[in-house]
């Protein structure tokens, strides 16, 4: 996964790209704990553009009204922005479990 800016996400969203975006903060223990799972999924689904956006960056404000907390995952496709639903039973360490994220990716990719 690569780090990107909110403005780059907006530009690529307007170009109709399909993007899996994780909004995170280094002060968030869930965000730090979930990184190995996201790296694994990024390698497994290398055809999917997966990115991080730091909520503490200067340009984050363009998404601020949509993001209540971190980690938050946005699924962007055909110029549309939707948030991944919160898990009913969040993982105590990572919030989103590996299985939950993988199912979300498969659905997003239409598999």
């Amino acid at each position: 996964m690569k780090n990107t800016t909110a403005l780059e996400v907006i530009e690529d969203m307007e170009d109709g790209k399909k993007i899996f975006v994780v909004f995170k903060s280094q002060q968030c223990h869930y965000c730090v704990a979930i990184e190995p799972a996201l790296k694994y999924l990024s390698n497994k689904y290398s055809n999917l553009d997966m990115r991080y956006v730091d909520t503490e960056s200067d340009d984050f404000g363009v998404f601020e009204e949509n993001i209540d907390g971190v980690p938050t995952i946005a699924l962007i496709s055909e110029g549309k922005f939707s948030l991944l639903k919160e898990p009913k039973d969040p993982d105590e360490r990572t919030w989103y479990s590996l299985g939950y994220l993988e199912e979300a990716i498969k659905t997003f990719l239409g598999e």
Side-chain angles (χ1 to χ4, degrees):
M1 288 188 61
K2 70 176 186 173
N3 289 310
T4 192
T5 66
L7 294 177
E8 287 174 337
V9 171
I10 294 289
E11 288 172 4
D12 289 343
M13 186 172 116
E14 290 171 350
D15 288 342
K17 293 184 179 177
K18 194 170 214 167
I19 315 167
F20 183 97
V21 182
V22 179
F23 293 93
K24 68 173 189 142
S25 165
Q26 282 305 113
Q27 280 66 45
C28 165
H29 70 279
Y30 292 125
C31 301
V32 173
I34 201 169
E35 285 181 10
L38 291 168
K39 183 176 181 181
Y40 167 80
L41 292 169
S42 180
N43 289 330
K44 184 172 182 177
Y45 296 94
S46 59
N47 59 324
L48 178 59
D49 186 354
M50 296 178 70
R51 305 180 191 181
Y52 290 117
V53 171
D54 187 340
T55 59
E56 296 171 34
S57 67
D58 291 340
D59 69 348
F60 171 69
V62 296
F63 287 110
E64 197 166 14
E65 68 183 47
N66 297 303
I67 309 300
D68 289 333
V70 289
T72 295
I73 297 173
L75 308 170
I76 297 171
S77 181
E78 299 175 3
K80 296 179 184 169
F81 177 95
S82 63
L83 297 178
L84 180 63
K85 289 184 180 181
E86 297 292 323
K88 289 182 182 178
D89 296 312
D91 184 278
E92 290 180 12
R93 198 173 65 77
T94 61
W95 194 259
Y96 298 100
S97 69
L98 176 63
Y100 187 84
L101 291 172
E102 187 156 22
E103 284 304 312
I105 289 171
K106 286 179 180 178
T107 300
F108 186 52
L109 294 174
E111 295 182 2

